[in-house]
């Protein structure tokens, strides 16, 4: 693959680009009227994820509208628990609901055997996207990290504290380790199949890594991330992996040094200049981020100043411009357009 035509992949290979390539987490979603129109055609959200024709369409919507440098597969991290046999429902306006895993019998109901069969529509979506995307736009596949998936499976729903998984991990570490091992294997298989279907880069979302202290983080987040990156590098050495261990602060340095990831995505709380210093030993490692998604809800002038500050602070590293978390539903699309226009105008 010739990376020079795709700025996003060039940066993940260690090049610095000015202007930096840009895409936004959750760039497809409810803030776009064209997404809401497609969403209205299906009963539930998972149906959208499993209908290639519609998933391709909503993946492409932000590419057409804004001209991002990368398209992220339209899907959800919870398709993996679903494909393992867990009940997953998206109740309108309430977020995800799962049947909570509490003991070994619950865990035994999860099964890798039908993983690829159930995820086949996701692979079909990627195959179609790989041939539909403009030459200069990279295609990103993704998965939830084992800890974050385990957290949803054990809690049964979203949470701020995640007491159920944190307690289970301490009371029954062997059971919890079996769950995390199963998820690690599923994630490797899922991401590898995404590459075979056309994904050119992969992102691992560990959205709730930030609730764990160091020893737990090491066991449930860092160690699985190492295994996943190593397994993927062995199978697909040319495909870069970006890690997004959200909320881990000072521990980012270990994710940079110890995992072999090509990119590290920063949440909004991390000063990007500090991160550049903290990951200096890891070469070449791209940083991604980390504009506050709420900046897109405020006045345009302040938004562009904040974007410039981040671009300049990251100028010494390979940098991919992104948010520190996903685009929020009340975001005006014209703010996103203004942000991309600003970043693409040479010299800002
Ligand atoms: O554009 C993209 O970034 C690609 C698609 C994508 C979605 N979810 C679509 C989605 C991606 C990469 C995700 C990742 C995801 N999903 C994460 C990790 C990133 C993060 O935000 O921390 C997590 C934790 C989830 C789980 C999830 N999915 C929750 C908690 C929710 C409900 C919250 C909400 O916004 O409603 C979802 C649903 C979801 N996933 C929507 C979209 C567009 C909204 C559902 C709808 O349209 O009805």
């Amino acid at each position: 693959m010739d990376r020079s035509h795709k700025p996003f992949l060039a940066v993940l290979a260690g090049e610095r680009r000015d202007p930096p390539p840009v895409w936004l987490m959750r760039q497809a979603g409810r803030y776009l009227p064209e997404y809401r129109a497609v969403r209205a055609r299906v009963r539930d959200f998972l149906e959208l994820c499993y209908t290639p024709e519609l998933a391709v369409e909503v993946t492409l919507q932000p590419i057409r509208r804004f001209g991002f440098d990368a398209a992220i597969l339209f899907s959800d991290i919870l398709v993996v628990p679903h494909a393992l046999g867990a009940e997953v429902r998206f109740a309108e306006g309430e977020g995800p609901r799962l049947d909570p895993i509490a003991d070994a019998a619950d865990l035994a109901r999860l099964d890798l055997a039908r993983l690829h069969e159930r995820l086949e529509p996701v692979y079909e979506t990627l195959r179609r996207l790989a041939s539909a995307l403009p030459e200069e736009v990279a295609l990103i596949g993704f998965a939830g990290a084992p800890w974050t998936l385990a957290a949803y499976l054990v809690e049964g729903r979203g949470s701020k504290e995640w007491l159920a998984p944190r307690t289970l991990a301490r009371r029954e570490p062997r059971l919890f380790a079996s769950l995390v091992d199963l998820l690690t294997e599923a994630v490797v298989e899922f991401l590898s199949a995404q590459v075979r279907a056309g994904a050119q880069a992969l992102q691992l979302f560990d959205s709730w890594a930030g609730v764990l202290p160091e020893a737990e983080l090491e066991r449930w987040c860092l160690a699985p991330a190492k295994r996943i990156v190593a397994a993927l590098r062995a199978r697909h050495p040319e495909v870069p992996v970006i890690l997004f261990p959200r909320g881990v602060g000072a521990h980012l340095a270990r994710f940079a040094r110890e995992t072999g990831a090509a990119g590290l995505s920063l949440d909004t709380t991390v000063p990007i200049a500090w991160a550049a210093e903290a990951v200096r030993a890891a070469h070449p490692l791209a940083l991604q981020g980390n504009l506050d998604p709420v900046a897109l809800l405020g006045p345009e002038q302040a938004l562009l100043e904040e974007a410039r500050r981040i671009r300049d602070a990251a100028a010494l590293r390979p940098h991919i411009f992104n948010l520190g978390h996903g685009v929020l539903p009340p975001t005006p699309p014209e703010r996103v357009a203004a942000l991309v226009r600003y970043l693409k105008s040479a010299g800002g």
Side-chain angles (χ1 to χ4, degrees):
M1 190 189 345
D2 182 1
R3 293 201 163 85
S4 59
H5 295 309
K6 298 188 195 271
F8 171 83
L9 293 179
V11 169
L12 285 171
E15 272 183 49
R16 282 187 279 126
R17 287 287 175 102
D18 185 18
V22 54
W23 71 281
L24 305 183
M25 291 189 269
R26 286 280 180 95
Q27 64 192 20
R30 284 167 300 193
Y31 77 108
L32 292 177
E34 59 270 36
Y35 172 86
R36 295 194 298 270
V38 174
R39 178 73 178 79
R41 288 163 59 185
V42 294
R43 244 176 322 111
D44 67 296
F45 172 68
L46 279 179
E47 194 180 330
L48 182 51
C49 297
Y50 293 137
T51 309
E53 187 196 344
L54 301 182
V56 166
E57 169 57 22
V58 295
T59 302
L60 295 176
Q61 285 171 346
I63 305 302
R64 286 189 206 115
R65 199 193 249 263
F66 305 115
F68 290 121
D69 294 288
I72 184 162
L73 162 73
F74 189 85
S75 180
D76 197 82
I77 64 164
L78 297 178
V79 299
V80 164
H82 189 243
L84 291 171
E87 282 280 341
V88 178
R89 298 171 302 281
F90 282 86
E92 202 61 56
E94 283 178 34
R97 291 282 186 282
L98 299 86
D99 289 343
I101 289 184
D103 55 28
D106 295 335
L107 176 59
R109 281 193 282 274
L110 299 183
D111 179 9
L112 275 167
R114 297 182 60 197
L115 187 83
H116 288 314
E117 183 190 323
R118 288 176 167 148
L119 293 170
E120 177 50 35
V122 176
Y123 309 144
E124 177 60 19
T125 301
L126 283 164
R127 284 189 291 268
R128 294 186 190 193
L129 283 168
S131 56
L133 281 170
E135 169 68 14
E136 68 284 2
V137 179
L139 178 54
I140 308 172
F142 74 91
W147 158 253
T148 288
L149 297 178
Y152 279 102
L153 275 164
V154 172
E155 191 79 39
R157 57 191 297 164
S159 166
K160 285 196 181 70
E161 299 286 349
W162 301 99
L163 271 187
R166 287 161 67 200
T167 307
L168 188 69
R170 287 177 189 263
R171 284 196 186 139
E172 304 209 44
R174 302 250 290 272
L175 174 72
F176 199 78
S178 305
L179 174 59
V180 169
D181 283 347
L182 176 76
L183 291 166
T184 301
E185 198 179 334
V187 165
V188 167
E189 290 305 320
F190 182 41
L191 290 176
S192 183
Q194 291 188 41
V195 172
R196 294 193 298 272
Q200 297 159 338
L202 300 167
Q203 180 154 324
L204 193 64
F205 288 90
D206 213 347
S207 303
W208 302 106
V211 301
L212 298 176
E214 186 164 22
E216 303 278 300
L217 181 80
E218 188 169 326
R219 184 162 185 193
W220 309 124
C221 298
L222 194 58
K226 281 185 208 176
R227 280 178 58 192
I228 292 165
V229 174
L232 291 166
R233 276 187 141 189
R235 294 191 203 184
H236 315 282
E238 74 291 358
V239 176
V241 179
I242 303 171
L243 301 178
F244 181 37
R246 191 166 72 91
V248 303
H251 302 300
L252 278 169
R254 295 193 62 190
F255 284 84
R257 275 199 313 268
E258 299 175 27
T259 62
L264 205 51
S265 204
L266 308 175
D267 66 66
T268 52
T269 67
V270 181
I272 205 159
W274 173 86
E277 193 57 30
V279 307
R280 215 164 29 137
H283 257 297
L285 175 86
L287 293 179
Q288 180 174 268
N290 67 344
L291 180 71
D292 184 355
V294 181
L296 289 162
L297 306 182
E300 183 172 313
Q301 198 51 40
L303 164 69
L304 302 186
E305 276 163 27
E306 181 72 353
R308 184 181 52 187
R309 195 190 57 73
I310 287 167
R311 185 200 60 188
D312 292 351
L316 294 176
R317 293 287 311 182
H319 177 226
I320 297 160
F321 197 97
N322 204 314
L323 304 179
H325 204 191
V327 176
L328 297 161
T331 301
E334 56 276 17
R335 282 285 183 288
V336 175
L339 172 64
V340 177
R341 218 183 306 118
Y342 172 75
L343 289 167
K344 298 288 177 197
S345 63

